[in-house]
Amino acid sequence: MVRWLAFVEGAERLDPWGAVEIKDYDRLLKVFGIRPFKELIPLLSKAGMEPSHLMMRGIIFGHRDFDKIIEAKIRGERVAVLTGFMPSGKFHFGHKLTVDQLIYLQRNGFKVFVAIADAEASIVRKIRREDAIRIGVEEYIANMIALGLDPKETEFYFQTNRGTPYYRLIQLFSGRVTAAEMEAIYGDLTPSKIMAALTQAADILHVQLEEYGGYKHVVVPVGADQDPHLRLTRDIADRMEGLLALERPASTYHKLQPGLDGKKMSSSRPDSTIFLTDTLEEARRKLMRALTGGRATAEEQRRLGGIPEVCSVYHMDLYHLMPEDSEVRSIYDSCRSGRILCGECKLVAWRKLEKLVEEHQRKLEKAKDIAWSVVEVPRF
Ligand code: SF4
């Protein structure tokens, strides 16, 4: 079921576990009090961080308190970024979008923490433990390393292996929120989703404990649909005052890249996305069949132009294939004016994608060997 912002009991909600389709990001800023990211561009420059193409193109469109993290960095304090991946399927271009942000922050001096959410995969998606571990290492960690995340500067961990202080946080947090408050944020909840939400709060906040490095300035880059987890975690951080000195985490929000079929990208619908381990033949087939913003006939498209805003191929160019602005602008203008038709445009994208996938898969072989050695694997 595709859900937009559901209107329940006077409050609009996002479902972080559902297939959310977000059509109006400006409205999201207003409804949830997220700040526009573009206001931070001058501050980033002051911190010596050249804004990435994801920031300049508005793909990273919002934040909460990221300005405070950047100011801490300017003062010379330690800063960190944390994210988590649920090992329930293959690694695709939607995941790459988050990893590109980790790499950017790592290259700008942020310590990186990556949670492999095997507990969540087991309790929410019913993935077998052995499968979650193998997928976590060989799909997620290996692909992240192959994309350029430096394993020496990254702490990868499995949730079920994180140790007592981390689990103590989950217990403490469970006494700081009520079922009604969680329902107001998430809607209907099952015990497994309550557990998963509190575990995510521990993921985000535990790196502030001395045992895990004592990082007080932490940012979490997420897709817009994951904001409920951040709101819950920030509330919990406030409520630990007097017991633990936890700072509110900051967050940045990126737009969800539309799938090749026009819906949300998902590992469970293989034709909605390209996996970074797809064969070249398979990747080409998916791209060539992708939904575009083209018109019904070539004549109509030459006359009226295409609609790149609703085209999944254009979004592949924008997010992943064309970091140079001049290139992506030229595709946009050619499409709008009808100078280029979809077949030709897909071939331009394919040439870029083919190179990217080929190079990535060459690096992936070596990365798979490294991946098992950079994380402690749960024993039970
Ligand atoms: S010409 Fe290119 S950008 Fe325009 S709708 Fe077709 S595939 Fe998309």
Side-chain angles (χ1 to χ4, degrees):
M1 181 178 65
V2 173
R3 295 176 70 181
W4 160 221
L5 294 167
F7 189 81
V8 189
E9 293 169 12
E12 288 182 274
R13 290 196 191 112
L14 291 165
D15 177 2
W17 292 290
V20 175
E21 187 186 353
I22 299 173
K23 292 184 176 133
D24 184 347
Y25 284 93
D26 286 340
R27 177 159 173 71
L28 208 62
L29 298 179
K30 281 192 202 110
V31 171
F32 294 108
I34 296 170
R35 304 285 313 158
F37 192 89
K38 57 179 185 248
E39 71 183 16
L40 292 185
I41 302 291
L43 190 62
L44 286 172
S45 304
K46 201 172 154 198
M49 295 168 69
E50 191 182 333
S52 70
H53 74 283
L54 298 175
M55 295 166 176
M56 295 307 288
R57 293 175 185 177
I59 294 169
I60 300 174
F61 70 96
H63 78 102
R64 290 186 197 274
D65 288 343
F66 190 46
D67 50 336
K68 293 185 181 156
I69 305 291
I70 301 301
E71 279 158 6
K73 181 174 158 38
I74 292 171
R75 291 195 301 273
E77 294 172 31
R78 294 184 314 153
V79 288
V81 53
L82 180 139
T83 194
F85 292 95
M86 182 157 38
S88 61
K90 293 175 77 177
F91 188 95
H92 56 63
F93 272 84
H95 300 124
K96 176 181 175 290
L97 177 58
T98 301
V99 177
D100 287 344
Q101 296 172 62
L102 297 182
I103 293 168
Y104 168 84
L105 292 170
Q106 184 172 65
R107 291 179 181 164
N108 280 287
F110 284 62
K111 165 80 180 178
V112 179
F113 291 89
V114 177
I116 303 296
D118 58 327
E120 190 173 349
S122 299
I123 60 181
V124 177
R125 296 277 165 83
K126 313 292 179 221
I127 306 286
R128 286 180 351 144
R129 297 260 307 119
E130 317 76 288
D131 292 340
I133 291 166
R134 181 186 48 75
I135 294 169
V137 176
E138 294 189 355
E139 276 292 326
Y140 288 82
I141 297 178
N143 274 293
M144 284 184 249
I145 293 171
L147 283 172
L149 194 66
D150 182 352
K152 290 194 290 298
E153 300 296 329
T154 307
E155 193 165 329
F156 298 100
Y157 69 92
F158 280 91
Q159 284 175 327
T160 59
N161 220 30
R162 200 50 170 162
T164 307
Y166 167 83
Y167 273 92
R168 196 178 292 135
L169 284 186
I170 300 172
Q171 289 175 337
L172 288 173
F173 295 169
S174 69
R176 291 293 197 277
V177 283
T178 65
E181 285 168 332
M182 289 191 74
E183 274 170 17
I185 293 176
Y186 291 100
D188 287 343
L189 278 170
T190 58
S192 58
K193 284 185 176 172
I194 292 173
M195 195 61 202
L198 294 174
T199 305
Q200 287 217 16
D203 283 319
I204 295 170
L205 293 172
H206 83 289
V207 299
Q208 296 190 34
L209 302 179
E210 285 307 314
E211 292 90 331
Y212 298 104
Y215 286 88
K216 293 290 178 189
H217 306 295
V218 181
V219 62
V220 186
V222 290
D225 56 339
Q226 299 300 305
D227 186 49
H229 293 313
L230 268 303
R231 277 184 278 136
L232 176 74
T233 304
R234 286 163 61 88
D235 280 353
I236 287 175
D238 290 347
R239 292 174 191 190
M240 298 309 290
E241 206 182 334
L243 188 62
L244 285 172
L246 296 177
E247 299 292 329
R248 284 178 156 202
S251 46
T252 59
Y253 299 90
H254 58 254
K255 293 179 180 172
L256 303 177
Q257 184 187 348
L260 301 177
D261 56 0
K263 300 176 188 155
K264 187 184 178 186
M265 280 191 177
S266 169
S267 305
S268 61
R269 292 196 334 281
D271 279 357
S272 71
T273 187
I274 293 170
F275 300 117
L276 277 90
T277 48
D278 273 343
T279 61
L280 290 179
E281 195 184 18
E282 187 66 359
R284 190 177 204 275
R285 183 191 68 79
K286 288 180 181 179
L287 189 75
M288 292 303 171
R289 289 175 49 170
L291 189 81
T292 71
R295 305 285 177 175
T297 65
E299 183 281 323
E300 215 179 296
Q301 188 152 341
R302 285 199 187 91
R303 185 160 46 84
L304 300 172
I307 311 171
E309 288 82 358
V310 298
C311 173
S312 67
V313 177
Y314 177 71
H315 281 89
M316 279 295 287
D317 292 341
L318 193 65
Y319 283 58
H320 302 286
L321 303 178
M322 296 183 181
E324 292 297 323
D325 286 343
S326 56
E327 244 180 331
V328 83
R329 197 174 303 120
S330 158
I331 288 288
Y332 183 90
D333 292 343
S334 301
C335 171
R336 271 285 182 204
S337 63
R339 283 198 305 274
I340 191 169
L341 300 183
C342 294
E344 186 192 341
C345 189
K346 282 178 169 177
L347 279 176
V348 173
W350 168 243
R351 281 193 286 274
K352 303 265 180 198
L353 180 64
E354 181 183 34
K355 192 159 172 269
L356 189 157
V357 171
E358 258 182 340
E359 277 177 16
H360 179 75
Q361 292 184 359
R362 257 199 308 277
K363 292 177 190 161
L364 187 60
E365 281 315 302
K366 206 167 147 208
K368 273 187 183 165
D369 295 336
I370 300 169
W372 284 102
S373 68
V374 298
V375 66
E376 202 176 312
V377 175
R379 291 183 196 283
F380 67 94

